[in-house]
Amino acid sequence: MVFDAISTDAITAVTDGWYNQLATSLNLSVRSFQLLQPPVVPVDDRSLWGCFDVPPETLKYNRWYFSQPDFFSQYAAIANGLSFPDSAFAADIGAVTYAKWMDYLNSLSSPPPPNTLPTVWFQWAMVNAPSVANIGRTDLSTQLLINSAQAALQPFEGENARPADFSPSFSDLKTTLLASQGASFSFDSAHDNPDVSDSWVPGDDPNYFGMWTGSSPAIRISRKFALSRINISASFTHFACVTVTPGTWYDSGLLHLAMVSQSTPPWIDSSDWETYFGASGTLTHAIGSLLAVDGITLTLTSDADFTEEEQAIVKAQVSMGYWPVYCPAQSSVISNTVTTSPGSTTISMQSAPGNPVVLGFNVFGIGNYLGGGV
C-alpha cells in the first residue's frame, strides 16, 4: 500500500465534518461531546461499566490508540493516598487544647459516633477553645470524610472485590433507550462543516483510523476515500444521553477535597497531586454522560475511483467496520456490507434492535465534573 503524507489531514477533516453533523442532528454540545472510535457494544453491566475510562483530551477517542486508566482505579488510588492524622489535628488546635479535648472524650460514658465528632468538638470548643473551634471542626470533618470514603471503597478492593458499579446498569440503559425518541439525518461531504475551532478541543485532532477500523489514515485508499464525495443516510430507532454516576464506592466530596488541596495533609505525599490533577495528570477529565443509540441503519456512498486491487482490499475488511462508525461486525448484533465498482462504493451498517451502541461521551474537565467550574 502506498502512503501519503497529507492523508491524515483529509481523514481528520471529513471526520470533523461528521462530528459536527452528528452533534447538530442529535442536539449535542460540541463544548463537551467526544466521539468513540470504535463504539462500545455492551452485552452486560461489566462490559458497559468497563468503558468508563478517564477520557483523553481529544474529540475522537480512538480506543485502539489511547491507553487510558479506568476512573475507578484513579479514584481509589487518590482515596488511599489521603490521610488526616490526629497529629495534624493536634498541631492545628495546640497541644494543650488537644490534651484537654482528649480528657473530655475520655470522661464521657461512651465515645460519640464518628459522624458526630465534628459537631461534638465544636460545641465543646466554643466554650473551652473558641479561637480554634472552626479549624478543629474542619480538621475533624476532613478526617471523617477520608475515613468514610476509604471504608466505602473496601468492598471493591482486594481478592474478593465487588465490581466497581456505575449507573446506568445495562438493563437500565436498554429501558431508557426503549422510551427515547429516534432520529434520521444525512451527511454530504461536499457541503459539510469541518470547523471544530469552537469545540472543547479545538485545533488539530487526528482521527488515527483510515477507511476501516485499525487501518492507517496514511494509506492511499484512505486518502482517496476521504477526498471523495461521501453521502450518508443515517437513522437511529432510539437515542439518548444518559448520565453516568459512580456507585456507592464513590464520594464526590473526597475527590473535590483532593483536587483543591495540594498540601500534606490531606495528601500523604503532596507530589501525588501533580500526578493526578497536574497539566499532564491522569485524572484531568471525566465522563458526565454517554450517548447511546439503538437500531442503527446507515448507508454510505462514495465516488472514490478505487482500482480493482483496492476494491478487493476494501471488501476484505468488511468485518472490521468502516468510517464513520467503525463498528466491527458482531454475529446477530452488527452487520456490515460493502459493494464496490469503478467510481462507486456503497457501505451499509445495521445494528439489531435491543442492542445499545455507545457512540460517545460528554466529557468535562475534572473541576467542572465536581461542580467547581474549573
Side-chain angles (χ1 to χ4, degrees):
M1 297 182 191
V2 180
F3 287 74
D4 191 300
I6 67 169
S7 59
T8 300
D9 293 338
I11 284 285
T12 298
V14 72
T15 304
D16 285 342
W18 167 256
Y19 170 91
N20 283 331
Q21 183 62 62
L22 186 66
T24 298
S25 301
L26 302 187
N27 197 29
L28 306 168
S29 173
V30 298
R31 304 305 301 168
S32 60
F33 180 60
Q34 179 181 73
L35 197 61
L36 268 181
Q37 296 179 335
V40 174
V41 186
V43 296
D44 54 21
D45 287 343
R46 289 205 178 199
S47 56
L48 173 61
W49 299 338
C51 76
F52 299 148
D53 297 331
V54 178
E57 190 173 356
T58 177
L59 287 187
K60 283 91 68 177
Y61 177 10
N62 184 319
R63 297 187 299 119
W64 285 29
Y65 181 87
F66 290 95
S67 179
Q68 295 296 112
D70 64 273
F71 183 84
F72 171 80
S73 68
Q74 296 301 287
Y75 171 82
I78 290 170
N80 291 321
L82 302 180
S83 177
F84 203 99
D86 281 341
S87 58
F89 171 60
D92 282 345
I93 65 173
V96 173
T97 300
Y98 181 76
K100 291 180 179 179
W101 165 244
M102 294 305 296
D103 287 342
Y104 169 70
L105 288 181
N106 291 330
S107 71
L108 299 176
S109 57
S110 59
N115 65 322
T116 68
L117 206 55
T119 299
V120 173
W121 153 264
F122 189 73
Q123 292 171 343
W124 178 87
M126 286 301 292
V127 174
N128 297 279
S131 64
V132 292
N134 281 317
I135 191 169
R137 179 169 60 178
T138 298
D139 286 357
L140 290 174
S141 296
T142 299
Q143 190 178 67
L144 175 62
L145 175 62
I146 293 172
N147 292 342
S148 297
Q150 290 174 345
L153 262 179
Q154 286 182 0
F156 301 88
E157 298 181 302
E159 289 185 7
N160 299 311
R162 292 165 51 187
D165 59 318
F166 291 80
S167 175
S169 65
F170 180 61
S171 62
D172 286 345
L173 179 59
K174 292 201 294 184
T175 299
T176 298
L177 278 171
L178 189 61
S180 301
Q181 64 182 335
S184 298
F185 60 97
S186 60
F187 170 85
D188 184 347
S189 64
H191 304 288
D192 69 343
N193 172 24
D195 183 5
V196 294
S197 60
D198 288 332
S199 68
W200 67 282
V201 189
D204 183 32
D205 183 38
N207 179 55
Y208 298 117
F209 281 155
M211 187 176 177
W212 58 85
T213 304
S215 66
S216 168
I219 61 174
R220 188 171 294 278
I221 290 178
S222 293
R223 181 174 187 268
K224 278 188 177 182
F225 174 76
L227 295 177
S228 70
R229 183 166 185 176
I230 300 170
N231 286 278
I232 296 174
S233 174
S235 68
F236 307 138
T237 305
H238 306 284
F239 78 93
C241 283
V242 183
T243 300
V244 173
T245 306
T248 57
W249 49 268
Y250 173 74
D251 191 317
S252 62
L254 181 82
L255 195 56
H256 184 269
L257 170 70
M259 185 193 70
V260 300
S261 307
Q262 300 188 37
S263 60
T264 301
W267 290 95
I268 297 172
D269 183 345
S270 60
S271 67
D272 285 346
W273 186 94
E274 192 70 26
T275 299
Y276 299 104
F277 302 116
S280 300
T282 57
L283 190 56
T284 58
H285 293 81
I287 297 168
S289 61
L290 61 83
L291 168 67
V293 301
D294 186 16
I296 302 173
T297 300
L298 184 148
T299 301
L300 175 155
T301 60
S302 163
D303 65 0
D305 190 16
F306 293 130
T307 66
E308 288 187 7
E309 180 185 6
E310 289 169 337
Q311 291 176 40
I313 293 171
V314 171
K315 287 181 178 180
Q317 302 301 323
V318 66
S319 65
M320 298 302 295
Y322 297 100
W323 184 94
V325 182
Y326 295 119
C327 203
Q330 295 184 20
S331 176
S332 78
V333 178
I334 304 295
S335 63
N336 300 315
T337 60
V338 59
T339 58
T340 62
S341 61
S344 177
T345 299
T346 300
I347 295 170
S348 297
M349 178 259 178
Q350 288 188 319
S351 68
N355 295 277
V357 178
V358 180
L359 290 185
F361 301 128
N362 283 304
V363 174
F364 300 95
I366 195 64
N368 282 328
Y369 178 77
L370 294 170
V374 179

